[in-house]
């Protein structure tokens, strides 16, 4: 059985996708059903009736309760059984698990662990998302047929853009530029590099309108277990104050909020927040560029996952550029160990 961090907030779905209808999801190997109540809040219950294990998502929503489609047992949004047809007595064990849910950054975040530890202030936030001088463009929920930590590897790795994303987010000018890694607290990691005096990447050639070379940066901010926010952009080359004046250039936060579905599947909810306005057509054109880039990652990560499933007599080697990914996996291992569950699928070896 693959193990996950349980005491964490995970994106369950885009808020836009949760309405007054039963919406099934699988998160860290558990089946969950979500729906929006008449008060506008989101309820999340275990997706299995305690009688015959019929998925509640196959039942009916009646007011703010779910009626099981098999024998009509009905459960309120806290998971309590409020009706058993033909039986006035409701046993104490006639209930299903409910999960805390918080909405932020356009997403419904679910807590899969001990509900007593669910602190809404721990949901990831990005100040620029709320800043009127920045603009936000919601992307997709891209499914990857790979372990979520393989996707996290990719999102702690500035080096790969020079080889994987040559038509969108990278160029060959950065191939030999070293990558730096720093751990920040128990569950945060930043991996970064600057590429100086080089042509703008294709995305910024199209939308940044640079006429000459630029200094460009990638800061990959990872918050365990499944949030990665990439601060990247470009500024006119030669600015001695470039580190503190990144906002004067073209700057984007590419946010990746990962849902671990199970040991072989994850979903990347991605959104980008930028410091320059665009009209609807330009925003859509940028979405298409990001789709190209992230599908390039998808092809590679799914191929890697397929190879990981095949037996071999040797172990993959580590390079200097892997420092961030190794520390990321150790961070997740430590979180799982602190919860008292064995690690599986999170090895840094």
């Amino acid at each position: 059985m693959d193990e996950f961090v349980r005491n964490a907030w995970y994106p369950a779905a885009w808020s836009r996708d949760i309405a007054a209808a039963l919406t099934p999801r699988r998160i860290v190997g558990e089946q969950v059903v979500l729906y929006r109540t008449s008060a506008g809040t989101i309820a999340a219950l275990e997706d299995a009736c305690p009688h015959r294990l019929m998925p509640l998502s196959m039942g009916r929503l009646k007011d703010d309760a779910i009626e099981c489609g098999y024998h009509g047992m009905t459960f309120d949004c806290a998971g309590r059984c409020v009706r058993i047809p033909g039986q006035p007595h409701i046993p104490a064990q006639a209930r299903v698990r409910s999960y805390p849910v918080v909405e932020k950054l356009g997403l419904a975040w679910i807590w899969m662990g001990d509900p007593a530890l669910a602190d809404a202030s721990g949901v990831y936030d990005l100040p620029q998302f709320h800043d009127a001088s920045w603009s936000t463009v919601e992307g997709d929920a891209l499914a990857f047929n790979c372990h979520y930590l393989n996707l996290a590897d990719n999102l702690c790795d500035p080096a790969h853009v020079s080889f994987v994303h040559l038509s969108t987010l990278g160029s060959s000018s950065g191939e030999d530029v070293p990558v730096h890694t720093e751990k920040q607290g128990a569950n945060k990691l930043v991996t970064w590099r600057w590429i100086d005096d080089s042509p703008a990447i294709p995305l910024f050639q199209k939308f940044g309108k640079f006429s000459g070379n630029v200094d460009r940066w990638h800061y990959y901010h990872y918050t365990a277990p499944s949030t990665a926010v990439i601060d990247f952009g470009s500024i006119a080359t030669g600015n001695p104050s470039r580190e503190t004046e990144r906002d004067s250039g073209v700057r984007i936060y590419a946010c990746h909020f990962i849902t671990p579905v199970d040991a072989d599947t994850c979903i990347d909810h991605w959104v980008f927040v930028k410091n320059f306005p665009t009209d609807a057509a330009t925003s859509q054109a940028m979405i298409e560029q990001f789709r190209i880039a992230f599908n390039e990652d998808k092809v590679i990560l799914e191929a890697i996952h397929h190879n990981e499933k095949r037996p071999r007599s040797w172990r993959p080697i580590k390079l200097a550029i892997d420092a961030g990914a190794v520390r990321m996996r150790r961070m997740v291992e430590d979180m799982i160990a602190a919860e008292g569950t064995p690690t599986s699928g999170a090895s840094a070896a």
Side-chain angles (χ1 to χ4, degrees), residues 20-33:
L22 299 177
T23 305
R25 288 289 189 272
R26 184 170 172 83
I27 304 166
V28 297
E30 298 182 18
Q31 297 296 139
V32 177
V33 57

Side-chain angles (χ1 to χ4, degrees), residues 214-287:
V214 299
D215 292 344
R216 53 190 175 91
W217 68 88
H218 289 91
Y219 284 80
Y220 284 49
H221 296 270
Y222 169 77
T223 302
S226 66
T227 292
V229 174
I230 302 168
D231 169 5
F232 73 103
S234 296
I235 193 169
T237 193
N239 186 334
S241 302
R242 65 183 189 179
E243 183 61 66
T244 58
E245 294 182 10
R246 278 179 278 171
D247 281 349
S248 67
V250 174
R251 190 175 191 180
I252 294 177
Y253 288 91
C255 305
H256 299 266
F257 305 116
I258 307 169
T259 305
V261 175
D262 53 33
D264 300 302
T265 316
C266 61
I267 297 172
D268 181 15
H269 299 84
W270 60 267
V271 58
F272 59 95
V273 184
K274 52 192 175 60
N275 69 344
F276 54 96
T278 52
D279 57 27
T282 303
S283 294
Q284 186 60 40
M286 293 185 71
I287 287 175

Side-chain angles (χ1 to χ4, degrees), residues 4-10 28 30 97-100 110-120 339:
F4 302 92
V5 177
R6 302 282 165 169
N7 291 323
W9 292 101
Y10 290 106
V28 297
E30 298 182 18
R97 182 181 177 188
S98 64
Y99 301 84
I110 189 168
W111 183 269
M112 300 301 295
D114 181 353
L117 301 178
D119 180 358
E339 294 180 2

Side-chain angles (χ1 to χ4, degrees), residues 23-327:
T23 305
R25 288 289 189 272
R26 184 170 172 83
I27 304 166
V28 297
E30 298 182 18
Q31 297 296 139
V32 177
V33 57
L34 302 103
Y35 61 97
R36 196 172 293 278
T37 70
S38 57
T41 59
I42 295 176
L45 303 178
E46 183 178 0
D47 194 12
C49 178
H51 176 219
R52 296 285 181 84
L53 302 183
M54 169 80 169
L56 292 178
S57 58
M58 296 176 67
R60 305 169 189 84
L61 190 60
K62 289 194 168 183
D63 297 322
D64 288 339
I66 301 178
E67 180 186 84
C68 178
Y70 198 10
H71 295 99
M73 289 183 67
T74 304
F75 302 88
D76 67 13
C77 56
R80 294 183 296 263
C81 181
V82 295
R83 178 174 182 255
I84 300 177
Q87 179 179 320
H89 172 68
I90 299 177
Q93 65 270 31
R95 59 180 301 119
V96 295
R97 182 181 177 188
S98 64
Y99 301 84
V101 176
V102 173
E103 292 188 80
K104 185 180 282 188
L105 303 181
L107 289 158
W109 299 79
I110 189 168
W111 183 269
M112 300 301 295
D114 181 353
L117 301 178
D119 180 358
S121 67
V123 178
Y124 182 86
D125 199 15
L126 181 71
Q128 289 81 0
F129 183 92
H130 312 285
D131 189 332
S133 64
W134 290 66
S135 59
T136 297
V137 181
E138 284 190 359
D140 303 324
L142 180 61
F144 285 75
N145 293 318
C146 72
H147 195 282
Y148 84 100
L149 290 180
N150 284 357
L151 177 53
D153 284 342
N154 178 273
L155 297 172
C156 292
D157 176 20
H160 81 278
V161 299
S162 298
F163 302 92
V164 178
H165 304 307
L166 293 178
S167 68
T168 52
L169 303 178
S171 73
S172 59
S173 60
E175 288 182 5
D176 294 316
V177 177
V179 173
H180 308 277
T181 302
E182 178 185 356
K183 188 177 180 182
Q184 299 180 340
N187 67 337
K188 294 183 180 180
L189 187 76
V190 60
T191 308
W192 80 95
R193 69 176 179 178
W194 280 82
I195 300 171
D196 298 332
D197 195 13
S198 64
I201 61 174
L203 183 77
F204 289 155
Q205 289 177 13
K206 293 180 180 179
F207 304 109
K209 300 179 181 178
F210 289 102
S211 59
N213 279 4
V214 299
D215 292 344
R216 53 190 175 91
W217 68 88
H218 289 91
Y219 284 80
Y220 284 49
H221 296 270
Y222 169 77
T223 302
S226 66
T227 292
V229 174
I230 302 168
D231 169 5
F232 73 103
S234 296
I235 193 169
T237 193
N239 186 334
S241 302
R242 65 183 189 179
E243 183 61 66
T244 58
E245 294 182 10
R246 278 179 278 171
D247 281 349
S248 67
V250 174
R251 190 175 191 180
I252 294 177
Y253 288 91
C255 305
H256 299 266
F257 305 116
I258 307 169
T259 305
V261 175
D262 53 33
D264 300 302
T265 316
C266 61
I267 297 172
D268 181 15
H269 299 84
W270 60 267
V271 58
F272 59 95
V273 184
K274 52 192 175 60
N275 69 344
F276 54 96
T278 52
D279 57 27
T282 303
S283 294
Q284 186 60 40
M286 293 185 71
I287 287 175
E288 295 305 325
Q289 290 296 298
F290 279 110
R291 282 177 175 156
I292 291 171
F294 300 154
N295 273 289
E296 290 169 338
D297 290 323
K298 175 180 167 70
V299 170
I300 286 174
L301 295 176
E302 290 182 351
I304 289 171
H305 186 72
H306 176 75
N307 264 351
E308 286 178 335
K309 296 292 186 179
R310 300 175 63 185
R312 61 178 43 81
S313 59
W314 51 273
R315 301 175 71 182
I317 64 172
K318 295 298 179 186
L319 305 179
I321 57 173
D322 297 322
V326 170
R327 297 176 81 172

Side-chain angles (χ1 to χ4, degrees), residues 5 183 186 327-341 343 346:
V5 177
K183 188 177 180 182
R327 297 176 81 172
M328 176 274 293
R329 287 182 178 247
R330 287 176 180 160
M331 195 179 296
V332 173
E333 287 179 342
D334 289 344
M335 294 176 74
I336 293 173
E339 294 180 2
T341 55
T343 59

